Amino acid sequence: MHTQVVQERMLISDQWQHGQQSIEVIDPGTNHVIATVPAATEADAKAAIEAAKEGAEIARQMPIHERAAILKRTAEIVTRDRELFAQTIAKEGSKTIREARSEVRRCIETLTLSGEEAKRLHGETIPFSQMPGHERRVGYFYRFPIGIIVAITPFNDPLNLVAHKIGPAIAAGNSLIIKPSSFTPLSALRLVKALEEAGLPKKIVQVITGHGSVIGPTLTKHRDVRLISFTGGYETGEKIARSAGVKKLAMELGSNSPTIVLQDAELMEAVASCVSGAFCAAGQNCIGVQRIYVEQSVFNSFIQSFVAQTKQLRLGDKQSEETDIGPMISEKEAKRIERWVEEAKEEGARVLTGGRRTGAYFEPTVLTNVSPSSRLAKEEAFAPIVIIEGVHSLTEAVARANDVDFGLQAGLFTNNLTAAFSAIEKLEVGGIMVNDSSDVRIDAMPFGGIKKSGLGREGVRYAIEEMTEQKVVAFHLPEHKI
């Protein structure tokens, strides 16, 4: 029995509206159409930007306590409707219902943090007298809203990654145009409706659905857009950067995150953490564990336990409380990773478990003896795939971990402080998790990478810094004569 197809609308200016054409939203687990959303046109994108100009002025004039209160009320609405939000995430995307509930909790945290950080938009005093000739000057700087922000969000965290754009943008006093993934637009639409219920004035936040190839260039090139906040693939990010012109960019562009396990590690803790980090959300996670380097003396024990735990994972219906892994976002993506695994096998890789595809479902897969030049080793798999290789030393592990174009996060398991600090210094990443896998993030921390993993940092406080500008004020005081 098919789910009823809901015709959703997008929010442009102050109106929820349909489009002349629509895009089908498909549940990847069943391949059924569950909703349609408008396929916005270039004219729709231009209309959204014009409305955002008004929205930016409304947002700028909104007192900070009102911004904070609206974000707090939105968090309360999401809390009230948390099961509905979780069901939406689980239907339109890859996450199981348990993973979806976890994402809703994080969204509530992100909105709450954003409201709190709105009250901490601090500047600093500047001691002008540090420079000769400026003894009679005093000054300070303060932060002011950047203006119009365009946020382009991915399918893998369709609610919380939208909240990571919306929350800081409102806290900082900006207007925002959200362009969610065409695979998973429903969570973003529901969150914007919660903002409306919480009392957010019209035109501050709009959500436009459509094909990136149609509306993307208008949204990203427009001279009135002052910041593009993008989470997605490197190739798309590079195109945006080339076309955007002189404006601020905040980009999280993925990774193929490594985790290193040394011989003195708590081995079973490392196994459990890495299994979870590799396969949650069907591996479609930018900080998910893709490569594991294990010291030779414990390699066999680690890999035997890892494979045994992987085989216990349950692949199946996303709505079941018993399911550990759902489908990939589409059958096309599952076929892609199937090809990558076959290529790796032709190059000499061994599949220790998994490797089979059924529709959009791909078994949790463990490989070893993978060529360092293989796509699985060099690129972002974004799939339930993990490579485990033996190494002779931390030095070798770090060298292999760094031998890619990405650098988002890494994990390290060791009880040796000297080894830990050596790895912290030498790993080319934006974050290192010690005695955890790479798959660790709290919504308050600065989050981002180096090399092809992106520009700037997310995390509420740090996103607000990206979404504001600094204005310096100086007073030249008259000479005092007593």
Side-chain angles (χ1 to χ4, degrees), residues 4 8 34 58 60-61 65 146 155 169 178 240 248 315 331 334 357 397 425 460-462 475:
Q4 182 180 358
E8 292 285 358
I34 58 174
I58 295 167
R60 185 184 67 81
Q61 295 184 14
H65 69 84
I146 195 169
F155 70 81
I178 288 279
I240 291 171
K248 291 180 79 173
L315 183 74
E331 186 172 1
R357 179 187 65 83
E425 179 184 358
V460 174
R461 171 186 166 188
Y462 310 95
F475 291 89

Side-chain angles (χ1 to χ4, degrees), residues 9-318:
R9 297 173 294 172
M10 60 185 172
L11 179 61
I12 296 179
S13 186
D14 57 357
Q15 297 294 323
W16 288 94
Q17 55 192 265
H18 295 287
Q20 295 179 346
Q21 295 182 316
S22 61
I23 298 170
E24 292 181 338
V25 181
I26 297 172
D27 181 335
T30 64
N31 209 33
H32 294 161
V33 178
I34 58 174
T36 63
V37 296
T41 64
E42 183 179 348
D44 292 325
K46 290 179 178 177
I49 292 170
E50 288 302 311
K53 293 180 187 179
E54 298 179 50
E57 185 61 22
I58 295 167
R60 185 184 67 81
Q61 295 184 14
M62 186 185 301
I64 287 175
H65 69 84
E66 288 186 14
R67 302 176 202 168
I70 286 168
L71 289 165
K72 180 182 178 183
R73 286 196 295 271
T74 305
E76 291 169 350
I77 291 165
V78 176
T79 301
R80 181 196 70 196
D81 297 338
R82 57 189 177 276
E83 189 62 21
L84 184 58
F85 275 95
Q87 291 288 343
T88 302
I89 293 167
K91 285 178 182 176
E92 67 176 343
S94 295
K95 289 188 172 181
T96 67
I97 189 63
R98 288 187 287 125
E99 291 171 332
R101 290 187 185 118
S102 176
E103 183 176 347
V104 174
R105 288 192 294 270
R106 286 189 58 190
C107 172
I108 294 164
E109 173 74 6
T110 299
L111 294 170
T112 302
L113 276 170
S114 297
E116 293 169 352
E117 286 295 337
K119 301 174 183 178
R120 292 191 277 268
L121 275 168
H122 298 158
E124 294 180 14
T125 57
I126 304 167
F128 273 78
S129 64
Q130 66 186 283
M131 183 175 178
H134 293 268
E135 290 83 0
R136 290 193 289 114
R137 286 190 175 88
V138 296
Y140 61 94
F141 76 81
Y142 70 93
R143 292 190 172 274
F144 65 96
I146 195 169
I148 300 174
I149 298 169
V150 165
I152 303 171
T153 59
F155 70 81
N156 58 313
D157 285 299
L159 182 66
N160 192 42
L161 287 183
V162 173
H164 265 283
K165 317 290 189 186
I166 286 178
I170 293 172
N174 297 295
S175 66
L176 181 74
I177 302 170
I178 288 279
K179 193 281 177 196
S181 167
S182 296
F183 287 113
T184 57
L186 305 182
S187 297
L189 293 168
R190 190 170 296 285
L191 181 56
V192 172
K193 290 173 184 175
L195 284 162
E196 280 196 326
E197 184 181 343
L200 183 70
K202 299 285 188 181
K203 301 182 182 179
I204 291 179
V205 172
Q206 301 170 81
V207 57
I208 182 169
T209 55
H211 299 291
S213 59
V214 176
I215 61 176
T218 299
L219 293 173
T220 57
K221 290 181 181 181
H222 200 286
R223 60 178 294 179
D224 291 320
V225 173
R226 299 311 311 148
L227 168 66
I228 300 166
S229 180
F230 172 73
T231 303
Y234 175 79
E235 290 76 14
T236 303
E238 186 177 39
K239 289 178 183 177
I240 291 171
R242 289 183 182 276
S243 68
V246 181
K247 54 174 62 77
K248 291 180 79 173
L249 301 173
M251 293 192 168
E252 196 277 281
L253 303 177
S255 190
N256 59 354
S257 297
T259 291
I260 296 169
V261 182
L262 300 185
Q263 61 185 359
D264 67 313
E266 300 293 338
L267 210 61
M268 291 303 100
E269 289 183 17
V271 168
S273 180
C274 288
V275 168
S276 172
F279 300 123
C280 70
Q284 296 164 124
N285 176 10
C286 58
I287 52 175
V289 179
Q290 186 171 328
R291 299 174 292 142
I292 306 175
Y293 299 108
V294 186
E295 275 201 294
Q296 286 290 166
S297 60
V298 293
F299 177 77
N300 288 335
S301 297
F302 181 91
I303 210 163
Q304 288 172 8
S305 297
F306 193 99
V307 169
Q309 288 196 25
T310 300
K311 287 180 176 179
Q312 294 174 10
L313 296 174
R314 290 155 294 192
L315 183 74
D317 179 9
K318 294 177 293 177

Side-chain angles (χ1 to χ4, degrees), residues 407-421:
L408 185 52
Q409 288 195 173
L412 170 68
F413 286 88
T414 182
N415 285 314
N416 184 325
L417 278 176
T418 302
F421 278 99

